[in-house]
Amino acid sequence: MRSTLIVALGLLFVLAGMTAVPATAADYPAEDARYHSYPEMVRHIKSKAAKHPGFVRVFSIGTSYQGRKLWAAEISDNVGTDEGEPEVLFDGLHHAREHLSGEMPIYILNMLTNQYGKKTALGKRVTNLVKKRRTWIVFMVNPDGLQYDLTGSPYRSWRKNRQPTPGSSKVGTDLNRNYGYRWGCCGGSSGSPGALDYRGPRAWSSPEVRAMRDFVNSRVVNGVQRIKTHITFHTAGEQVLWPYAYTYKDLPADMTALDLATFRAMGKAMARTNGYAAKQSSSLYPTDGDMIDWMYARHRIFSFTFELYPRSGGTKRAWYPNDEVIVRENKRNRDAILYLMGKAWCPYQAQGAKYARNNCGPFFDDLEIGRGWRVNPRGSDTATDGRWVRGDPRKSPLQLGSAVSGTSVLVTGTQSGHDVDGGVTTVWSPHFRVPGNGQATLRLKYWVGLTSSAGPADAFTVRLVDTSGKRVKVLHKVSGGTGATHKPAWQFLSKKIPARFAGQRLAIELTVADRGNENIVEAGVDQVRVVAG
Ligand SMILES: [Zn+2]
């Protein structure tokens, strides 16, 4: 009777074309019982959250193709409250058969909850990090793949998710080739549905990857990405890897030299703690559409791939180590995890205190990604052409084609032959807070191009505005009227912010005005910072 009912239900699902999560969940065999299947993981993290309601909250960031919840945890004091703290993300098990990569995220939850409040040196370190950070953990990005892998005897060596491919009998997309930055660009993934590294029919075609994207995108608050550092766990190879994966080039145009040096410093520091090899992700072979490339390129998050134990990968032995190694290999990464959490307030500090001072003050923007600048913020700009835009400028006689860092600048139109015409263009930075002691300095790189016919009213001006948009201070002005051409060249501007603004929220206003006829007026800005002191 009962079996008839189950068969009938199964038939119903098949007839309706639905995907059903099997009622009897697959489990690890007895000899690997210390590994967590998806249902065991869910039970475990829910009991942890119930035990520590003050600083652990579990929630779902979305659902897998087969309808399993993609469980995540938030760990912080005042959990569920946005205190503006630096945020850290960990995730595991993009690839189903990489079993140890599903254990690391559980270990991080355990370690942080077990050590919190203890009076030991480790306990104090953990307590401090839980209080001063907001830590996110996504436990299993690919639960469907894992549960399917567990149905083999013992396993199926399954890597991808369980999503059918339209127009093909093959099932599964490689979730770490489905991210949308330079997806399928460079021979670092396969277009064949049957391949192990099949990238999917299009970027973001997998619901698991879209859920990760949407969660990370949701951490942009007022133009600022709160997540600063990230590790995605894979196996195997014992490596700490940084972007980019899509190219062999150490420093392609879509990375700044400062960021590369920071990746290297952080990667090597973590590798010293766990004995892994630290290198660029493409050092073995390029992959495209992977997570860390997107995390860095789109969000400038200092994002690493850890390839866990053992040292050589690519075999059943590597994917399926005995469960006796779980505790040892998890613990091996404890200091790297704590290091990464520690650096979230200022990844640049990995290179030394001077880098923290220069790049982690009240405001930082290298203009490589959109960070919330607003063009024509009052709605009263009169320029008909050459409005401020963030982008990669073309060179022309009065416009520089270069950027100080990376490829992008704020510029009065990226095209050549389009200068500011007909009036004023204005852009505001996001607001920043002047330190309570009033000690702060605005630093930026800029250039101005003016024809000899430009008059005194044709000008590039740097001002401070308050939260109501009122102009409160002119910091710098370059104007025409000299009768000579002002050729564009990068200049360094460093101006003290007056101490009377101590504790206030201000924004930087940049304006370029063309009041005359037929004058050419252009300007560009890069590397805008407000530093303490
Ligand atoms: Zn992997």
Side-chain angles (χ1 to χ4, degrees):
M1 186 74 180
R2 212 176 136 176
S3 60
T4 317
L5 186 65
I6 289 170
V7 168
L9 274 174
L11 260 174
L12 257 178
F13 278 118
V14 170
L15 289 172
M18 292 171 70
T19 53
V21 177
T24 314
D27 199 359
Y28 275 97
E31 65 268 26
D32 277 340
R34 275 173 275 197
Y35 279 98
H36 293 77
S37 66
Y38 170 78
E40 288 167 345
M41 175 277 290
V42 176
R43 272 197 299 279
H44 179 82
I45 65 166
K46 284 185 174 174
S47 85
K48 276 286 183 189
K51 240 180 260 172
H52 305 283
F55 67 101
V56 179
R57 174 176 72 98
V58 293
F59 63 101
S60 158
I61 62 164
T63 48
S64 68
Y65 177 77
Q66 294 180 324
R68 292 183 175 90
K69 285 187 174 171
L70 301 173
W71 283 101
E74 176 197 351
I75 302 160
S76 186
D77 63 334
N78 302 315
V79 72
T81 310
D82 188 351
E83 300 178 282
E85 295 162 321
E87 298 181 9
V88 185
L89 174 66
F90 299 101
D91 71 74
L93 211 91
H94 273 75
H95 292 144
R97 65 194 177 189
E98 298 174 7
H99 288 180
L100 269 181
S101 79
E103 298 302 310
M104 276 303 307
I106 297 169
Y107 166 77
I108 295 170
L109 174 67
N110 292 347
M111 186 259 293
L112 295 178
T113 51
N114 295 345
Q115 294 298 327
Y116 183 80
K118 285 198 176 153
K119 298 297 174 204
T120 58
L122 175 63
K124 285 177 188 166
R125 190 177 175 194
V126 166
T127 305
N128 190 47
L129 287 172
V130 168
K131 285 184 175 164
K132 293 186 174 161
R133 302 285 178 271
R134 204 172 187 192
T135 301
W136 308 103
I137 304 173
V138 178
F139 293 92
M140 293 180 177
V141 179
N142 184 7
D144 299 351
L146 174 66
Q147 291 310 107
Y148 179 68
D149 193 50
L150 298 183
T151 61
S153 52
Y155 307 118
R156 290 184 183 272
S157 299
W158 190 256
R159 171 180 166 93
K160 301 186 281 185
N161 73 351
R162 293 295 298 159
Q163 182 177 14
T165 301
S168 162
S169 60
K170 305 292 184 188
V171 169
T173 293
D174 184 336
L175 297 183
N176 207 31
R177 303 292 184 275
N178 193 236
Y179 284 80
Y181 188 69
R182 304 213 172 205
W183 175 82
C185 71
C186 306
S189 59
S190 175
S192 309
L196 280 169
D197 60 346
Y198 175 52
R199 66 178 81 103
R202 61 192 176 278
W204 309 116
S205 56
S206 292
E208 297 87 353
V209 171
R210 286 199 300 273
M212 292 298 282
R213 174 196 66 190
D214 295 346
F215 175 68
V216 172
N217 286 348
S218 78
R219 298 316 306 144
V220 177
V221 182
N222 298 324
V224 177
Q225 172 56 257
R226 289 283 177 76
I227 299 172
K228 302 297 182 190
T229 56
H230 163 240
I231 298 173
T232 181
F233 292 103
H234 287 253
T235 77
E238 300 188 358
Q239 291 162 334
V240 174
L241 305 172
W242 59 79
Y244 280 108
Y246 80 86
T247 174
Y248 286 120
K249 275 190 192 164
D250 292 1
L251 187 58
D254 45 4
M255 181 176 279
T256 65
L258 174 67
D259 289 354
L260 175 62
T262 302
F263 271 119
R264 284 177 169 157
M266 292 180 75
K268 285 173 183 170
M270 290 190 286
R272 275 195 294 275
T273 69
N274 60 11
Y276 286 14
K279 49 184 109 165
Q280 187 183 342
S281 187
S282 59
S283 61
L284 291 178
Y285 51 90
T287 58
D288 45 43
D290 90 347
M291 185 183 190
I292 65 170
D293 279 13
W294 179 77
M295 293 284 279
Y296 173 71
R298 287 287 175 253
H299 289 282
R300 299 285 143 163
I301 293 167
F302 286 88
S303 181
F304 293 85
T305 300
F306 273 30
E307 295 285 355
L308 302 171
Y309 172 89
R311 179 134 295 200
S312 58
T315 62
K316 273 199 158 189
R317 255 175 84 124
W319 301 316
Y320 305 132
N322 296 334
D323 67 359
E324 285 79 8
V325 309
I326 297 174
V327 170
R328 182 191 76 207
E329 293 301 324
N330 282 343
K331 211 170 162 186
R332 184 175 174 186
N333 282 307
R334 185 187 71 201
D335 286 352
I337 289 156
L338 295 176
Y339 173 91
L340 189 94
M341 290 175 70
K343 285 290 173 279
W345 80 272
C346 182
Y348 300 113
Q349 194 227 1
Q351 294 186 74
K354 188 185 86 180
Y355 289 86
R357 194 181 108 77
N358 289 341
N359 303 299
C360 298
F363 187 81
F364 167 90
D365 199 342
D366 60 12
L367 280 319
E368 294 304 302
I369 57 169
R371 288 185 173 97
W373 291 72
R374 286 193 291 157
V375 177
N376 191 14
R378 297 184 182 89
S380 58
D381 279 2
T382 46
T384 54
D385 197 4
R387 291 185 174 202
W388 285 110
V389 66
R390 192 186 62 81
D392 182 358
R394 296 266 184 81
K395 186 176 159 50
S396 66
L398 287 172
Q399 173 162 298
L400 287 188
S402 65
V404 180
S405 53
T407 53
S408 287
V409 301
L410 267 175
V411 62
T412 50
T414 53
Q415 293 165 288
S416 61
H418 286 262
D419 69 312
V420 179
D421 283 328
V424 179
T425 179
T426 309
V427 65
W428 285 353
S429 74
H431 289 98
F432 62 90
R433 190 178 293 281
V434 179
N437 65 6
Q439 300 289 305
T441 303
L442 171 71
R443 292 179 179 170
L444 56 82
K445 302 273 175 69
Y446 75 98
W447 55 260
V448 177
L450 297 165
T451 42
S452 57
S453 57
D458 300 323
F460 163 69
T461 311
V462 181
R463 295 182 178 88
L464 296 173
V465 294
D466 66 16
T467 48
S468 71
K470 196 178 133 206
R471 290 169 168 171
V472 292
K473 175 74 185 169
V474 175
L475 289 176
H476 192 61
K477 189 168 187 173
V478 178
S479 49
T482 62
T485 303
H486 190 290
K487 286 190 181 159
W490 284 110
Q491 317 249 336
F492 179 52
L493 177 71
S494 179
K495 290 281 178 183
K496 279 266 182 203
I497 292 174
R500 68 173 185 274
F501 298 117
Q504 288 190 34
R505 275 161 54 80
L506 301 174
I508 302 151
E509 179 186 273
L510 307 173
T511 57
V512 173
D514 179 9
R515 307 283 189 188
N517 299 321
E518 304 302 315
N519 304 324
I520 294 180
V521 185
E522 305 253 33
V525 168
D526 202 357
Q527 290 193 340
V528 184
R529 289 152 164 79
V530 176
V531 303

